[in-house]
Amino acid sequence: MCFSFSHWLTGHHVGVLQLFIRKKGRDQRYGSALWSRTGGHGWRQTQVTLETHSVDKVLLKAERRIGRLGHILVDDVTLRQGACLWHHQQSDQRPSGRLI
């Protein structure tokens, strides 16, 4: 499966945006981060291919450093069948869709 999302990080205290998965089974803990980003310029698109037989839940975790000068935005979150088409985009425009 392809997990895709747009993200924007800015500011001195922006911190980190991370992607975690929880696998099916008795161990209900999330593993190590599959992907992370600290800082950035403009909107970026990220795609991560997930193994469908083992994924139970997907978690995007946004963490701001101490202070008020930082923003993390996530948009256009999708999950679709098949492997991702690995590409990276950068834009100053906000993507369409609902901001979450």
Side-chain angles (χ1 to χ4, degrees), residues 24-100:
K24 295 177 182 177
R26 291 193 297 182
D27 184 14
Q28 295 296 305
R29 290 180 263 169
Y30 287 91
S32 301
L34 294 177
W35 172 93
S36 70
R37 160 102 36 209
T38 55
H41 304 285
W43 283 98
R44 295 182 186 250
Q45 176 73 27
T46 296
Q47 298 181 347
V48 179
T49 299
L50 306 173
E51 297 179 29
T52 55
H53 64 277
S54 63
V55 175
D56 181 39
K57 293 191 179 195
V58 178
L59 171 71
L60 275 174
K61 177 183 175 185
E63 193 172 296
R64 186 174 62 190
R65 288 192 236 158
I66 296 173
R68 296 179 152 229
L69 301 175
H71 300 284
I72 298 174
L73 292 87
V74 175
D75 200 358
D76 292 335
V77 178
T78 61
L79 185 62
R80 65 181 182 275
Q81 292 293 331
C84 297
L85 303 173
W86 292 95
H87 74 279
H88 176 79
Q89 288 181 305
Q90 181 176 343
S91 171
D92 291 330
Q93 301 295 316
R94 182 182 175 277
S96 62
R98 235 176 67 203
L99 189 63
I100 59 171

